[in-house]
Amino acid sequence: MPRSAPRPSSAKNAPLVFKSAVETALTKLGLVRDIDLALHLPLRYEDETRIAKLRDAREGDTAQIEALVMRCEVSYRPRRQLVVTVDDGTDICILRFFSFYPSQQKALAVGNRIRARGELKGGFLGWTMLHPAFRSAVGDLPKALTPIYPTVAGLAQHVLRKEVLAGLARADLSDTFSPGDLSQISPHSLWTLRDALSFLHHPKADVALAALQDHSHPAWQRLKAEELLAQQISQLHTRRVRAHLRAPVLRQISPDSGTPALEPDTPVLLSLPESLLTKLPFALTAAQQRVQAEIAQDMARLVPMHRLLQGDVGSGKTVVAALAAAVCIDAGWQCALMAPTEILAEQHFRKLIGWLEPLGVTTAWLTGNQKATERRAVLAMVESGEAQLVVGTHAVIQEKVQFKNLALAIIDEQHRFGVAQRLALRSKLRHEGMEPHLLMMTATPIPRTLAMSYYADLDVSTLDELPPGRTPVVTKVVHEDRRAEVIERIRHQIELGRQVYWVCPLIEESEALDLTNATETHAGLQLALQGVTTAAGEKAQVGLLHSRMPADEKKSVMAAFTQGHMALLVSTTVIEVGVDVPNASLMVIEHAERFGLSQLHQLRGRVGRGAAASACVLLYSTGDSTRLGETARERLKAMAQTSDGFEIARRDLEIRGPGEFLGARQSGEAMLRFADLATDTALLEWARREARVLLDHHPVLAEKHVARWLGGKSEFLKA
Ligand code: ADP
Ligand code: MG
């Protein structure tokens, strides 16, 4: 991209110091190039094109009046202030200034005609304006609305405005796509970039302000289309660059493809995935079969797979991962599986060992707190290739870990990992120009619009079906003062032989407080459930699990609960992801109002995994106030109304915006400034098609477009 020449200062004769202060402020706003200035759009507008009459004004109106100064005096009661009485011919208004310069006092001298703009307050003493903006009433009224720009301290609106307009005049605004291309979306979208920008920087006075404010105006449509297009081109480009990389071809050997018919009594040699399938205690759901085939197809190609497997909690992602691993191992390569927490990684490890070791697969376990000797042994197994499957936490991507031939990397709960960690895992295949296949899994379904925008460089497979036999979890939202009833219910479940989770509240930014709280709750529940016996006639055990516990202790608590020796598990949110105990039928979440929506959904997914009817109790507290806050109430309502992960995710997107979904992935990547994924779906779909057209047929324009919008931030320019 040709860098624009250094921007000449618009204030030619201003002292050097002043110039650099403005430059600094502009840089802070990210306004370095002319085009950056041109794309710095107003937050809102003020209407100085009209003069209102006091007679017609209403309380609370923001209005501009033109009036004659009748009186101007400094008053000291109740505090020092400048009190100016003006008359616009229809009524009187008092302007008050608590801080003022002598120059202002002079401009407001008796007999001057001024225009003042501010909010009108009506008291029984008549109209007043507090600290109105004013100027002397000379010259014509402006023809355009006055734009108000996002700014930083030390950069006044009028200075910024001048810079923006200068940038707008200098910038290259030639279209990268023609306005007609947008007409598929809206017949009113026939605006060029230049027209749209000039308009938005100074819209005519008669424009419908609402259309500007809610970004539905055609000029905004053009800008949003531009922005989305840049994002789509950049992602499509990244994807195409990846298509030039190579990966090991992992072809599933299917006995019925081309093999001659076998004699009826010849022993059939099953491939590893096939053996695994016959060993499973259940049949795959249709969704699992479909997704498994999509993954197998990707891995059989020469190009690295880059696939996201999304499926609601409990949809059975683990077995899909195991099947992919089996294909990889069968082809003679290594597979790694990485999970964000030790508990989750260990659970995967056990499950996968249980499935694969009887079939002759050698597995290895890698975590941060292994003893040195044990670790050395594991590292040697991984390096020699003896370990065919390596499961672990972040420890898997450490530099010391050298694989012999890693061909498939699986990341569970991918949103908990950052770009750097994904890259580290991908770099573990040490062959020039090659990368392992990458399978990412998430239980936080990504709404379609997000998948199409931020995740457009991924292929997505979706498990949209739960295994049969699940009973939906009944969710109850219950006020904290009914805690005793809830405990009664726990007792009942335990006596029926069921197991229960009690999730302790999240205390923001204080792990220590989390801990005290969990410990106290644990003690209280132990006391309350004293003397309760389980269906097996044993004394009910109440266990505690929190993140500060030593790994060994965590392990033994989890084991006791998993094996059914523990009736109630009190826990901080460490159980959030992936824990699988089908006998658990009740979950109580204390201070549910403090949790995010997808977090609540994840937690709730820990119950309802077996055949028993399950319930989730969302205990809430309103603290000192009588009602819950608006968003908390909406979250709890959503939880009670639906258990569909996609619906939850959609509502979460509405309540919180996209930031939370993107998690670590987001860092350093350009967020959308103008487009709103909740409402701009049609534009997004258009941008997706157009990106392809531009990259295929007008690569120079495509590059220009991305450079204009994303500057140095784009993958496009790095690649
Ligand atoms: P998640 O997608 O949340 O990771 P899991 O892989 O932990 O879900 O699966 C949840 C539970 O469902 C596990 O106990 C698993 O063994 C079981 N499961 C998976 N697939 C099936 C199936 N097709 N039929 C019955 N149960 C299944
Ligand atoms: Mg899982």
Side-chain angles (χ1 to χ4, degrees), residues 246-555:
R246 290 291 163 253
V249 174
L250 306 173
R251 195 157 286 142
Q252 189 170 355
I253 308 130
S254 166
D256 36 354
S257 68
T259 28
L262 295 165
E263 292 300 313
D265 50 353
T266 338
V268 180
L269 220 87
L270 293 180
S271 68
L272 192 55
E274 284 167 331
S275 312
L276 175 54
L277 279 174
T278 61
K279 283 277 163 58
L280 288 175
F282 48 76
L284 294 187
T285 63
Q288 282 170 323
Q289 282 174 22
R290 171 174 45 78
V291 162
Q292 198 257 332
E294 286 166 0
I295 294 169
Q297 228 164 47
D298 278 5
M299 293 197 304
R301 296 174 60 217
L302 205 62
V303 176
M305 167 168 72
H306 199 64
R307 190 169 280 278
L308 179 71
L309 167 56
Q310 56 173 356
D312 211 346
V313 280
S315 59
K317 294 185 288 295
T318 318
V319 69
V320 174
L323 283 164
V327 171
C328 166
I329 293 163
D330 219 22
W333 295 78
Q334 287 175 299
C335 170
L337 190 158
M338 180 164 77
T341 67
E342 193 149 328
I343 287 185
L344 187 55
E346 170 154 6
Q347 193 176 286
H348 280 314
F349 185 60
R350 286 189 187 290
K351 210 154 211 170
L352 294 171
I353 288 185
W355 284 336
L356 294 170
E357 280 201 346
L359 302 175
V361 174
T362 308
T363 51
W365 166 244
L366 255 180
T367 143
N369 39 39
Q370 270 164 322
K371 291 198 191 69
T373 45
E374 190 187 343
R375 193 175 168 75
R376 257 200 304 280
V378 176
L379 290 182
M381 276 173 73
V382 177
E383 191 161 359
S384 71
E386 186 192 344
Q388 295 162 292
L389 173 64
V390 183
V391 181
T393 55
H394 294 79
V396 172
I397 49 172
Q398 276 163 0
E399 210 165 311
K400 287 222 178 77
V401 185
Q402 304 233 0
F403 288 82
K404 177 166 177 250
N405 59 357
L406 180 69
L408 172 63
I410 304 175
I411 303 180
D412 197 14
E413 302 297 334
Q414 66 88 24
H415 58 282
R416 300 274 210 102
F417 293 98
V419 179
Q421 290 162 321
R422 258 195 298 270
L423 286 175
L425 193 52
R426 278 161 59 181
S427 72
K428 289 287 182 191
L429 176 58
R430 291 161 194 272
H431 286 282
E432 198 60 33
M434 279 182 102
E435 275 193 6
H437 296 284
L438 183 64
L439 177 63
M440 294 169 268
M441 307 200 287
T442 181
T444 306
I446 298 160
R448 208 174 83 83
T449 43
L450 268 191
M452 280 171 59
S453 52
Y454 291 99
Y455 288 90
D457 65 330
L458 293 181
D459 295 306
V460 179
S461 288
T462 306
L463 286 175
D464 49 9
E465 175 186 10
L466 292 181
R470 301 277 168 80
T471 42
V473 180
V474 175
T475 301
K476 290 263 188 273
V477 180
V478 174
H479 191 275
E480 162 71 25
D481 62 13
R482 290 171 59 194
R483 198 182 172 97
E485 279 171 59
V486 173
I487 292 176
E488 211 27 59
R489 200 153 158 180
I490 294 178
R491 175 200 300 273
H492 186 64
Q493 287 296 308
I494 293 177
E495 284 170 352
L496 286 174
R498 299 276 144 64
Q499 289 169 279
V500 181
Y501 293 103
W502 184 291
V503 181
C504 290
L506 204 64
I507 296 172
E508 227 155 282
E509 282 154 33
S510 169
E511 241 185 289
L513 266 182
D514 264 352
L515 182 55
T516 333
N517 197 290
T519 316
E520 279 169 14
T521 308
H522 175 243
L525 287 169
Q526 231 169 3
L527 200 68
L529 296 169
Q530 234 172 11
V532 177
T533 46
T534 66
E538 288 164 9
K539 186 176 173 314
Q541 299 290 321
V542 179
L544 174 63
L545 188 68
H546 59 75
S547 50
R548 291 277 190 86
M549 262 157 69
D552 284 355
E553 227 175 289
K554 264 192 219 168
K555 217 179 271 185

Side-chain angles (χ1 to χ4, degrees), residues 560-571:
F561 192 70
T562 312
Q563 289 154 25
H565 304 315
M566 186 178 283
L568 173 62
L569 179 62
V570 178
S571 149

Side-chain angles (χ1 to χ4, degrees), residues 155-337:
L155 184 60
Q157 279 297 330
H158 68 274
V159 178
L160 178 54
R161 202 172 294 151
K162 216 152 100 190
E163 293 286 342
V164 166
L165 293 184
L168 181 67
R170 284 190 305 258
D172 165 19
L173 299 178
S174 55
D175 282 348
T176 45
F177 60 92
S178 88
D181 296 342
L182 255 177
S183 60
Q184 314 157 33
I185 312 298
S186 149
H188 311 296
S189 303
L190 300 171
W191 288 57
T192 62
L193 178 63
R194 181 183 303 280
D195 289 347
L197 283 176
S198 320
F199 177 82
L200 291 174
H201 284 295
H202 26 207
K204 301 239 166 46
D206 55 2
V207 72
L209 261 179
L212 282 185
Q213 230 61 283
D214 72 7
H215 293 192
S216 64
H217 192 279
W220 269 117
Q221 296 287 317
R222 170 79 197 204
L223 266 290
K224 293 196 286 192
E226 290 255 338
E227 178 178 46
L228 287 166
L229 181 61
Q231 189 200 38
Q232 292 295 314
I233 294 175
S234 146
Q235 298 219 15
L236 186 58
H237 181 74
T238 318
R239 198 186 171 101
R240 289 183 174 182
V241 167
R242 193 171 45 246
H244 291 292
L245 290 172
R246 290 291 163 253
V249 174
L250 306 173
R251 195 157 286 142
Q252 189 170 355
I253 308 130
S254 166
D256 36 354
S257 68
T259 28
L262 295 165
E263 292 300 313
D265 50 353
T266 338
V268 180
L269 220 87
L270 293 180
S271 68
L272 192 55
E274 284 167 331
S275 312
L276 175 54
L277 279 174
T278 61
K279 283 277 163 58
L280 288 175
F282 48 76
L284 294 187
T285 63
Q288 282 170 323
Q289 282 174 22
R290 171 174 45 78
V291 162
Q292 198 257 332
E294 286 166 0
I295 294 169
Q297 228 164 47
D298 278 5
M299 293 197 304
R301 296 174 60 217
L302 205 62
V303 176
M305 167 168 72
H306 199 64
R307 190 169 280 278
L308 179 71
L309 167 56
Q310 56 173 356
D312 211 346
V313 280
S315 59
K317 294 185 288 295
T318 318
V319 69
V320 174
L323 283 164
V327 171
C328 166
I329 293 163
D330 219 22
W333 295 78
Q334 287 175 299
C335 170
L337 190 158

